[in-house]
Amino acid sequence: MSVTLIVVIGLVVDGAGKIQANERADLVAASAARTATNSIGGDTVRVGSLTLDAAKATAAGEAYLAAAGMPGTVTVNGEVVTVTVSTIYSTRFLSLIGIVELPGTGEASARLITQ
């Protein structure tokens, strides 16, 4: 009975922890994508239209991820920046039955608005 109770408590507590870790990963990915879309091209004033500098956008997104302490990738496709991050939730109760980590991911995209 006590083992069953620990497993049920573990599922509730560690399940909620994994959900929170995934939500944080989504928030970090969204913030990194928005940060990256602020990297407009250097000739915006001369040309008169907004363009995304892919190298600067990638560097800005990666710098945000590094500052947040979360590994991930930044992909620029035209005017859209997509950020994917991964995270690990260290379990509290499920570690008692051998499950010490639960992986999680987050993904978000941001588009440069040109109008």
Side-chain angles (χ1 to χ4, degrees), residues 7-95:
V7 170
V8 170
I9 291 171
L11 289 173
V12 171
V13 171
D14 291 330
K18 182 182 184 323
I19 290 169
Q20 288 177 339
N22 283 346
E23 288 175 351
R24 181 174 184 277
D26 284 336
L27 289 173
V28 168
S31 295
R34 285 191 301 268
T35 298
T37 56
N38 288 329
S39 301
I40 58 175
D43 59 348
T44 297
V45 173
R46 184 178 55 83
V47 175
S49 66
L50 293 174
T51 57
L52 193 61
D53 185 322
K56 288 181 183 178
T58 301
E62 289 172 348
Y64 190 95
L65 293 178
M70 199 169 282
T73 60
V74 179
T75 307
V76 179
N77 186 8
E79 296 175 349
V80 178
V81 178
T82 302
V83 178
T84 305
V85 299
S86 59
T87 187
I88 300 289
Y89 171 73
S90 298
T91 60
R92 307 283 189 267
F93 286 94
L94 292 179
S95 60

